[in-house]
Amino acid sequence: MPETPDLAFRRRHLLAIEGLHPFEIADLLDCAEGYVAHNRKSDKKLSTLRGLTQINLFYENSTRTRTSFELAGKRLGADVVNMSVSGSSIKKGETLIDTAMTLNAMHPDALVVRHGESGAVALLAHHVRCAVINAGDGSHEHPTQALLDALTIRRRRGRIEGLTVAICGDVLHSRVARSNLLLLQAMGASVRLVGPPTLLPPAIETFQVPTFTDMREGLEGCDIVMMLRLQTERMQGSFVPSVREYFRLYGLTPDKLKAAKPDALIMHPGPMNRGVEIDGVVADDIDRSAILDQVEMGVAVRMACLDALTRHLRDGD
Ligand code: NCD
């Protein structure tokens, strides 16, 4: 692994894409590039974070995000501890702040937190001394997902600027949609939101992006089609008439995809529900689906974020 150049990204925490400068985003993506190449080698162990402790605190279920943060920390040489809510005192009624202060007393260097409430990760960050990374807070933000999506797009298309990206499906409940919208716009892409009226945010005008309730119209001429899962766990009541009806109108099928550019890239943050928001044929199209690239980029991006946020600890080394 070559020495990573000096980074312009010098923040204490990574809580959101909102407020990041395009050069900070580009910096993290450039740093992640080096880790993509490194992760393809057989010897993946580095000592960048040797001696540092990373705690992954997940209040919500996760497969890819938790595993990739764990791999990222381990590959960088950190001691990584995974805490899940089911096996901790959180189940016994401990508050978020008490948990934060308890973990803080153990002197971790990085805390990776996923929580069901928007704003909870930022609140926790006020009560600890170490770097905090938001691994998804409610329907608010999921910054590392947007970064890994951007890296995927940049590698597959060579750029982000000037591309047209359609973010489709349950935009209302999606932190992935929000972080991606902010990042892609900051990097000069044109973003559109596509979904049923019930799943588009109420004050949609404030986003100042074109919105479509017809899938084919929304996909017309797009370079990137980013699908979202129906976030039923965040829904109170029913937002779609039926799953079958939803798939008929908004599921990404080979036929609807014809509206996008012939080489349009298909993305999905996972976990995907085949036959709900995406047809298996489209998801498995090896030429056009970037879904597994996204997973690969996830580890590299999380390594870059951990590296960047702990760099000040190593400056005096
Ligand atoms: C997303 C999340 O948790 O917000 N998944 C992920 O991190 N890979 C999207 C989702 O759960 O649908």
Side-chain angles (χ1 to χ4, degrees), residues 189-228:
S190 303
V191 182
R192 302 169 180 181
L193 301 176
V194 187
T198 48
L199 293 176
L200 291 173
I204 194 89
E205 322 76 63
T206 56
F207 287 88
Q208 297 191 321
V209 289
T211 56
F212 297 86
T213 52
D214 180 276
M215 188 77 170
R216 284 185 186 81
E217 283 175 24
L219 295 190
E220 191 65 49
C222 278
D223 297 284
I224 312 284
V225 183
M226 197 178 273
M227 298 307 298
L228 302 169

Side-chain angles (χ1 to χ4, degrees), residues 60-62 64-65 114 135-136 138 142 145 174-176 228-231 233-234 268-271 302:
E60 272 190 352
N61 294 343
S62 174
R64 286 144 268 267
T65 306
R114 170 169 283 194
H142 191 352
Q145 179 70 43
S174 176
R175 51 198 178 204
V176 174
L228 302 169
R229 184 175 62 86
L230 271 184
Q231 318 253 302
E233 72 276 22
R234 289 188 220 296
H268 192 304
R302 286 160 182 142

Side-chain angles (χ1 to χ4, degrees), residues 255-272:
D255 188 49
K256 292 198 197 81
L257 190 58
K258 283 184 193 147
K261 285 200 179 148
D263 62 346
L265 207 61
I266 300 150
M267 300 179 71
H268 192 304
M272 63 184 159

